Structures are given as structure tokens and as C-alpha cells.
Amino acid sequence: MIAEIIAAGSEMLTPFRQDTNSLYLTAGLNDLGVTVAFKTIVGDSLEHLTGAAVNALRRADIVIFSGGLGPTEDDLTREAAAAALGIELHPDPGMIAALYKRFAERRMTMTPNNTKQANVLDGAKLLENRNGTAPGQFLETRFAGKRRIVVLLPGPPKELKPLFDEQVKPRLAATLPPAFIAKRQLRMALIPESLVDSRTAPIYKTYADVETTILAGSGEIQLNFIVAKPTLAEAQAVVDELAAKVEDEMDEDIFSSHGESLEEVVLLNLGMRHLTLAAAESCTGGTFAERLTAIPNSSRSFVGGVVAYTPELKTLFVDVPAEMLAAEGAISEAVAGALAEGIRRKTGADVGIGITGLAGPGGGVGPDEGKAIGLVYIGLADAAGTAVKEVKITGDRERVRWWASQHALEMVRRRLLQG
Amino acid sequence: MIAEIIAAGSEMLTPFRQDTNSLYLTAGLNDLGVTVAFKTIVGDSLEHLTGAAVNALRRADIVIFSGGLGPTEDDLTREAAAAALGIELHPDPGMIAALYKRFAERRMTMTPNNTKQANVLDGAKLLENRNGTAPGQFLETRFAGKRRIVVLLPGPPKELKPLFDEQVKPRLAATLPPAFIAKRQLRMALIPESLVDSRTAPIYKTYADVETTILAGSGEIQLNFIVAKPTLAEAQAVVDELAAKVEDEMDEDIFSSHGESLEEVVLLNLGMRHLTLAAAESCTGGTFAERLTAIPNSSRSFVGGVVAYTPELKTLFVDVPAEMLAAEGAISEAVAGALAEGIRRKTGADVGIGITGLAGPGGGVGPDEGKAIGLVYIGLADAAGTAVKEVKITGDRERVRWWASQHALEMVRRRLLQG
């Protein structure tokens, strides 16, 4: 069974906006063993939308529309689906009453155009929308002699998601052969994708029934395994066995074997050891702190830190000696160590991180003149002493800053593994 | 003239990856007066890709393919385009020689599958790819009696973008009626979209020839105007006149009238006044500093700050009195003011910002117990004194933190406008 997702809305054909609902819908369809084979994005034109619907009905078993169910003239999905299927729309009296009631409860007058949302494809089931006025629709039908399922969903994600999960997935599952899908995700940081692939391909390729996807980006590699089996227990056993073998191979390079982010893993490991962390950031300008504090309850382990962007602030807040800054430059092994030690001493945290580097695009000045853009030093100070790592990061300012914070997080994680 | 973009690649039919090339291509096509009417995303299947190509050739004047031009078995765009058009592919001897040369220069052996990248659609012009092995292709042809332009582009953005800009846009422009497009973008922060629309619609609706798009999100509203005229001067005059009228209406609510970000505007205004800024952040955890330091040369105006996440660090780094924290709680008007004043005094910056609030999902503890999630106080201290603003932000942790940083940036901007 293959599916096509049609996203309706002219705004998604501008340089500014993109269809994102289809990612959510794809994950849900994959859970049911359904592959998405096509996605079409089409504007608010009855002709274009009807043509896209005909194409979809020809080539896909399941056609899911998102958007174009509202009350305005531009909302044409119902009309296009009806035209493509060669069937009629009829107003649903119960839904019209429900719309009047909804407006009355909000003490608003319902304009007549709203009743169009109660137009139903002949034979379709209306799907109640808790979070908006436009209901979804679910239709089992035939097109050119073939069995087809047509689903209409409202465009706003907070309406589409619960409607899809609660009302569409169970209905689809009931019409599909039972599929039991199990997934696992292994995550690694700062390792080249080619290296991960050359070490793990000999393992995952022996599991021909498991679909393996390697995703790389932002200093992280994800290995995704997904398998369908006649029972959930069988499916789970297969992905767990494969994941265990890959974990044996990659060992401590894997920071997460159940989907947690690197930030979450670092905070979790600090929490388990009752350790606290603080950071003095220069080139990352708060990226490291921002990433950790984005996690709820991070304050249990991450106490805070300083963004010591100028040389003066490095001295003021964490006592980096002015002579060291003048002699070595801010972008130096010595200063990274002093930042880490200084923030640890000042805050009393168990682990101190110091990050200094040249994010570009401008070059270094004074004692930092001539240092390469992308040169970053990361210091880690704890009870055992201070270590500094030098890294060279390619790319633009945003990339250097992100990767520097990634290196710092990974450095904390690996330090904690050592005990 | 309408265009369709076909993105080829099974990875874009997973929940993990999305087509993004089409946003770039759409902006470039709009510059030429071409509207994108359809986008199709299709996997690495010859049957599916050929079917999608036929549909596109039926309904669009210009069909642009991205991806599927590499050397592997999965790269099928050339074959699908040829099958859909009913034409042949032929190997280009010059391109085969160029591929051998490219590999030789890198001291690599070229595997035979690479020669497939030299297969050209009959009648097509090969487009040299500076950043990769697979060349693009440009073909003017007819399909079912209609004039069609077919373009094949490699998928990696760093290959596709220069190839499109340097080789496809000039060729398209030469075949299209001259279109002179002018654009303007006005940006505002923290104003409801409905308010912006009700105040500006009476203005922009009198310009029926200008396409106006309102985009809202992340605490920002963008008004985009685009118009096509027989000359560039005429087009520019129309959007400039409209933009001036909207600027009159919205006045200081507009932070940027030529596309600069809020961060850039704040730094620019500080720089013009030779003022420096520092921040003491609690709930935003570095978001404010991260946003400012993402801008190159921000260190000229933003000196840095502290992420004072725990009460102890608020006292340690910026002298917030422990008694104040105990009496009022960290999430209070008094503490926001003390953070702003403290960081200003400590760093010697001209303007100090203090941000404290409850980002959730957990509630406040101790003296902050019972305070609402989303309650945020922002303090601004400068030579004229200290002001504190209370805001209530709805949504999850990420949204509260982002909007809090947005409020703080906007507070600095508005303070600087006052002189």
C-alpha cells in the first residue's frame, strides 16, 4: 500500500513557507506499514487541485489532503476531491448545527460562508475537529476500478495532528493488513558519516528485512532502524538485536541508544553522579548555555555561566589574567583552560567548561591576528585537573559556533564516562 | 508562465528529511516573473519519477528537477525525463573526458558507473557543475504540441544554487518576456498579525498590482510586497510608495524596512550611538546573548553577560541581594531590575538587560510557587534609570524563552528610539 500526501495552499509555493505536516503524517503512516511514495504541493486553484487529486488517485492507494478545508473562497479541497472522484458534496445538517453552536458558545455571529465546512463527500465519514471549525473527512471508495482511501485534514498542525492520530490512524489500521513495526535510533556525535557507515554497514546489511537510514548533520549521526514483522515482539527482537550489535561495534561513540539528545544525555549523566556544570563562553556567545537550559529541569545540574565576549569580561568574571590574554591571545589553549578553571572556581560547580575560538567571518586582532577562522579551544576543568582540546571547524560563523558547542558537550559526556 | 519543481529522492519521503531546494528555486523563479504552481516530491523509482515527469510536462511550462543526477543506480532523473519526453539519452564525449580528468586530478580511479553522469537528453545543453561531478541540463522542447523548458539540477544545495543562479536563470530570462520585479520587506515585532492586517490592508489593497504576503511567527510579522512592471524603475517606485505609506501608518512599530533582522537593527542602533550592551539572563539561559553574538562583529556593541540560572549565581555575578530573592522570588519585577542594574554596573556597559521568568514546564518553587508559567520580567537599566516590563507568554518552554528574548531585544530597540 502506498500513500500520497497533497498539501494545499498557495503560501507553500512561495520562498517563505514550507509544508511540514507531511513529515508528521509520514511518521504515522510508516507506523502502519504504509510508505509515502509521493508528495504534491499545490496552490489554491480548483483546476490545479483537482488535477493533482486525479493524479494521486491514479497512482496511490491512500490519498491524504492537508489544508484547504476552511470557510474562505480559497478553501477548495472538498470541491477538488469531489470533482476528481466524480461524486457530489452534500451539507451535513448535524455539522451545520454544531458550527452554529460553536460560534454561539463564543458569542460570535457565524457568517454564512462557514456552512461550507459542513459539506461532505458522498459516503465519507466526518471527523470531529476539537481544535478548529473545519472537520476532517474519511472516505473508502473506488477510483477507476481500484480501492482507494481518501482523507481530508485541516492544515493547522494543532488541528491536523490530533485528528490524524485519534481518528485517521485507527480507521486506516482497521482497513490495512496488520503491521507490527519496531524502531530503534542510535545517535553519535562528531564522527564522520563515512566512518560510521564503513563500521556498521557490515552489520546492518546482514539484516535485509530492517530498513536502515543514516542521517548526518549538525555534528551528529543518527542510525535509524525500522522493521515490520507479523508480531510486535518479533519486530522488536530484530531491531534490538541489530542495535545491540551496532552498540558493541561503536561502543562509547554512541551517546544515545533510545533517542535522547546529547544535551539530555549530558544532564542525565551529571544528575546521576550528583555533579554540577558551569560554562564560560567566548565565541559560542551563549550557545552552550542555551542548548542545556532548553532542557526542562536543567538547573538541577547546570548552574549557569558567563558569556565573556570581550577580553575585559574574561578577566572581570572568571579572572583570566590580562597578561595571559595579551601574550597568548584570547584564542589559545591557555585561555580556554583559564576560562574553564575560572568559572569552576567562581561558581563552585564540579565541572567547568571554557570555550574560545574564532567564529569569523572577521579575523583575529592583536595577539590573535593570523589565527585561522574555525580554530576553537575547549577547556574542561574538574577535580582531576584541566584538559584542553583544540579543534578546527570548517564552515560559516553559525556552523563554527554550533560545532564548538557540540564538541564541548561531547567532551563533558566522555569525561563523565571515565568515572 | 508557470513552473513545477520535482524533487527526486526517497530520503525526502521519510519523516526525517525535507526538500529545501525548492524554496531557493522559487525565489529565483519569482525574480523572473515565473510562478511555481506545483511541487512534487518523488522517490528513486523510475516508474514513479517518469509518471511525475509526465504530469508535470502536461501542466507546467517550466519543469525543474532537483536531485537524482549522481552516478548510482538510484539516480534516475535523466532516464525518467527522457522517457517522459519520449527522447533518447546520448553520452557526451567531452563530459566523459572531463570526468576522467576530474578524478585524475584528485588521484582517484573513476569507477565506470560515473560515466552515466555524461548522458545527455537529446537537444539539451549541459551545464557545468563547479562543485560536483554531475552536470545540470537545460532543454527547450515541445510536449504534446506545447513549448516546454526542462531543467535538470543536482540535489546538493551547494551544487544546485550556483548552477541555477549562473547558468539557469540567464537562460530562462532569455526565453521569457522581460519581467522587472521589485520587492520590499517591512518587519515588526510582537504585534498581533490581525492588528497589522487591519491597519495596513486599507493601504495595500489599493495596490492591486502588488502581491502582498503577511507572514507571522516567532514574535515577528513580515509584510512582503512584490510587483512586476515593464521597467525596474516603475516596479521599484510602486513598492517604495506602498512601503512609505505603510511605514507612515505603523511608524515606530516597524523595526526594519530593508530586511535586517531585529538583532542586526539593535546592534546597528547601539553602534550608531556608540553604546554598549550587556545582559544577565535567567530563564532565557543564554538565548538573548546567543542571538546577538550570532551577528558578525557584534562584539563592538555587545560585551557579553551572565547566565545566572540559579539564585546563587544571580547574587555572585551581579549582586542581586539574597534577601530580595527570598522575599520577592527570582521571578519578580525587583529581580529583573536588579539583574539589569547589576550587569550594567559590573561590566560598565551603557545598557544592561535582565531577564527572569518561568519557562516551564515545571512550576516555580519557594517564593516563586504559584506564579504562572510564561510570566517573564525584563529589566532595562541605562543612564536614565531602570524600567521593568512584565509580559505573559503562552506556549511551551521553547516559545517562552524565544519570545522573552524577542521582548528584550524590542525593549532595547524602543529605548534607543527615545534618544
Side-chain angles (χ1 to χ4, degrees), chain A residues 341-408:
Chain A
E341 289 167 6
I343 193 72
R344 177 172 183 261
R345 191 173 55 243
K346 280 271 182 147
T347 61
D350 300 297
V351 183
I353 280 285
I355 310 174
T356 182
L358 194 54
V365 292
D368 290 316
E369 205 181 313
K371 292 181 185 170
I373 289 174
L375 175 66
V376 176
Y377 293 92
I378 298 158
L380 187 153
D382 64 6
T386 303
V388 178
K389 188 173 172 184
E390 177 188 298
V391 291
K392 281 161 188 155
I393 302 168
T394 56
D396 64 10
R397 184 174 178 87
E398 189 187 341
R399 192 169 187 276
V400 171
R401 285 156 48 95
W402 179 268
W403 280 68
S405 71
Q406 188 79 348
H407 275 284

Side-chain angles (χ1 to χ4, degrees), chain B residues 27-179:
Chain B
L29 289 164
N30 291 352
D31 287 343
L32 300 170
V34 175
T35 301
V36 175
F38 302 93
K39 297 201 246 179
T40 299
I41 294 125
V42 59
D44 304 316
S45 144
L46 187 59
E47 183 199 340
H48 289 176
L49 199 45
T50 305
V54 169
N55 288 337
L57 288 163
R58 282 194 189 124
R59 63 193 178 184
D61 306 291
I62 301 170
V63 180
I64 301 187
F65 295 82
S66 76
L69 296 187
T72 77
E73 280 173 33
D74 285 347
D75 292 303
L76 297 162
T77 299
R78 282 174 294 258
E79 290 78 357
L85 288 161
I87 62 175
E88 300 289 320
L89 292 165
H90 66 268
D92 181 278
M95 183 51 64
I96 292 179
L99 285 168
Y100 273 108
K101 184 160 169 274
R102 190 182 165 94
F103 276 84
E105 279 167 4
R106 288 168 173 67
R107 295 175 197 284
M108 291 163 70
T109 309
M110 187 171 96
T111 50
N113 58 349
N114 275 287
T115 57
K116 135 182 197 177
Q117 297 173 101
N119 288 343
V120 191
L121 294 168
D122 282 346
K125 169 93 186 107
L126 275 181
L127 311 175
E128 194 197 337
N129 180 353
R130 285 195 274 114
N131 301 307
T133 52
Q137 303 194 24
F138 187 97
L139 174 66
E140 292 189 60
T141 185
R142 302 190 76 80
F143 181 84
K146 289 181 192 135
R147 198 173 152 238
R148 293 292 184 248
I149 293 172
V150 176
V151 180
L152 315 189
L153 293 173
K158 77 172 178 192
E159 302 180 26
L160 173 135
K161 290 178 180 182
L163 225 156
F164 180 69
D165 287 343
E166 293 160 20
Q167 301 189 65
V168 176
K169 279 182 83 174
R171 281 188 173 81
L172 280 178
T175 69
L176 294 171

Side-chain angles (χ1 to χ4, degrees), chain A residues 271-312:
Chain A
M272 287 190 317
R273 290 164 178 79
H274 305 289
L275 297 174
T276 56
L277 172 69
E281 301 182 60
S282 183
C283 67
T284 46
T287 309
F288 183 82
E290 195 279 329
R291 290 181 63 178
L292 285 170
T293 58
I295 310 298
N297 297 319
S298 45
S299 59
R300 288 181 194 161
S301 306
F302 182 68
V303 297
V306 298
V307 178
Y309 213 51
T310 58
E312 293 75 25

Side-chain angles (χ1 to χ4, degrees), chain B residues 358-418:
Chain B
L358 195 54
V365 293
D368 290 316
E369 205 179 314
K371 292 182 184 169
I373 289 172
L375 175 66
V376 176
Y377 292 93
I378 298 157
L380 186 154
D382 64 7
T386 303
V388 178
K389 188 172 171 183
E390 177 187 298
V391 291
K392 282 160 187 156
I393 301 168
T394 56
D396 62 11
R397 183 176 180 87
E398 188 187 342
R399 193 171 186 276
V400 171
R401 284 158 47 95
W402 179 269
W403 281 67
S405 71
Q406 188 79 348
H407 275 285
L409 286 170
E410 180 68 352
M411 200 167 167
V412 177
R413 184 184 74 87
R414 294 205 179 242
R415 179 70 194 88
L416 295 175
L417 285 180
Q418 289 158 26

